[in-house]
Amino acid sequence: MIELVPCSDGRHLTEIRTDWLTGRTVILAEHRAERPNEFAEAAGFAESLTSSSVDCPFCVGHESITPPAVFTRHDELGRWRVRVVPNKFPAVALDAPFAAGAHEVIIESARHVDRTAALSVAELADVLAAYQERLVFWRSRGLFEYGLVFKNLGAAAGASLAHVHSQLIALPQPPAPVAAEMARAGTSYREQGSCPYCRLIEEERRVGERVVVERDGLIAFCPYVSLQPCEVWLMPTAHEPWFEQRPQSVGASPAALAETLHALLVRMEAILPQPAYNLLVRTAPWQDEAAECGHWRIEILPRVNPLAGFELGTQMHINPICPTRAATQLRLG
């Protein structure tokens, strides 16, 4: 479990932080971690959804329950390892007049497991390859300007089925927060002559205290303005705007990415047993100008701290664990 230890002067950190690039504002209030909670068990923020492979629509033998697959990866014996299907209950649809888009489900394993960390590194590499393939597909269609891959693991993170899966949504335009972030990134690029995300990586390296791991062309760190305790960003150290155009060579290769992401998830689950979390694959919008100022990242956001009235009313988050403290306990050897 993550430990909350007072600072050397016996006090806990209280501070308001704003990230000019993402637009986030967070209140770090470490003393709030000591609050009594009569609803701790009922809140269920570390619970797993319960289900059986007998009635699971994502298990082998139940393929007819889902829409037909649009993409499949097979093993050497021809058995499917990853299936991508249209979402049976889509948030957006190609033929929807006021909510146009594409919505797919990536079924991450033929095995009935409920945590991504339970996959092997090779299985996770197949999942990441499926993300890449489907983003490439929707980008190439020319219908959309933005794609997001996301995972909701656990009921507290918004999942409704336990079998490991992710989702992809493609949209005609980037959502307003994404567009605003990219506008700030573009302005910064024109003023400074370099990618602001690359400068962010250099700053995290310089400071050092929030870096969780750096290896194989990748860096993971707890962002200075973390929305949740133990939030981690995983990014390529080279300038790469689009996740779907990752190099297939040494550096931030698919195998290296799968190995590092897997290690981060295993470590996170060791600190926060059975956490619910959201995982976001943020690729740059599919616009030419993003080539200079965009930089893909994977965000892992444990759902430790629930959104309550203050967060909903102000769009500010309260985080009871300092990112520096979280990085110290997440750090990989």
Side-chain angles (χ1 to χ4, degrees), residues 66 101 131 143 238 263 295:
T66 68
Y131 293 171
L143 300 172
H295 203 120

Side-chain angles (χ1 to χ4, degrees), residues 63-134:
E63 290 83 0
S64 63
I65 299 177
T66 68
V70 295
F71 177 82
T72 309
R73 290 183 72 86
H74 297 88
D75 64 15
E76 63 280 0
L77 298 178
R79 300 170 299 193
W80 70 263
R81 291 166 62 97
V82 179
R83 293 180 73 233
V84 180
V85 301
N87 195 303
K88 198 172 183 178
F89 308 98
V92 293
L94 291 172
D95 57 356
F98 302 111
H103 192 173
E104 296 180 339
V105 176
I106 300 96
I107 304 169
E108 299 178 9
S109 176
R111 297 187 294 119
H112 187 73
V113 293
D114 64 357
R115 309 204 68 78
T116 303
L119 302 179
S120 68
V121 173
E123 287 174 315
L124 183 54
D126 279 344
V127 173
L128 295 173
Y131 293 171
Q132 187 176 17
E133 292 279 356
R134 296 313 295 168

Side-chain angles (χ1 to χ4, degrees), residues 124-329:
L124 183 54
D126 279 344
V127 173
L128 295 173
Y131 293 171
Q132 187 176 17
E133 292 279 356
R134 296 313 295 168
L135 286 168
V136 167
F137 173 83
W138 287 112
R139 178 175 180 165
S140 67
R141 292 288 299 274
L143 300 172
F144 306 116
E145 293 186 357
Y146 182 70
L148 176 70
V149 176
F150 61 96
K151 169 192 288 293
N152 305 328
L153 195 147
S160 56
L161 291 172
H163 192 124
V164 286
H165 66 284
S166 310
Q167 300 178 63
L168 181 153
I169 287 184
L171 298 170
Q173 296 91 29
V178 175
E181 180 178 330
M182 289 306 301
R184 289 187 289 267
T187 298
S188 177
Y189 176 84
R190 291 187 292 272
E191 292 176 348
Q192 302 291 327
S194 61
C195 165
Y197 301 95
C198 291
R199 297 201 307 273
L200 170 63
I201 290 170
E202 288 304 314
E203 176 64 12
E204 291 296 344
R205 280 173 167 161
R206 185 189 67 80
V207 174
E209 61 186 14
R210 291 183 296 273
V211 174
V212 175
V213 66
E214 182 174 359
R215 66 190 185 197
D216 299 325
L218 297 160
I219 186 169
F221 57 90
C222 295
Y224 179 72
V225 183
S226 291
L227 297 180
Q228 286 281 342
C230 295
E231 176 183 351
V232 176
W233 286 14
L234 177 59
M235 304 177 72
T237 53
H239 179 68
E240 297 177 14
W242 295 291
F243 177 84
E244 62 274 15
Q245 292 185 358
R246 290 179 296 135
Q248 302 294 312
S249 58
V250 185
S253 66
L257 179 59
E259 183 176 353
T260 301
L261 179 57
H262 191 272
L264 287 171
L265 294 175
V266 169
R267 180 63 180 155
M268 185 185 73
E269 291 193 9
I271 294 172
L272 304 168
Q274 294 292 298
Y277 66 85
N278 299 106
L279 185 149
L280 311 176
V281 180
R282 292 190 181 273
T283 189
W286 298 328
Q287 302 160 342
D288 292 342
E289 54 266 31
E292 297 173 330
C293 62
H295 203 120
W296 68 261
R297 66 182 184 263
I298 295 177
E299 299 178 11
I300 307 170
L301 292 114
R303 296 300 291 269
V304 176
N305 211 36
L307 297 182
F310 179 81
E311 288 83 356
L312 295 173
T314 65
Q315 298 300 301
M316 297 170 67
H317 289 243
I318 300 175
N319 184 348
I321 304 295
C322 174
T324 300
R325 197 188 310 277
T328 299
Q329 299 194 48

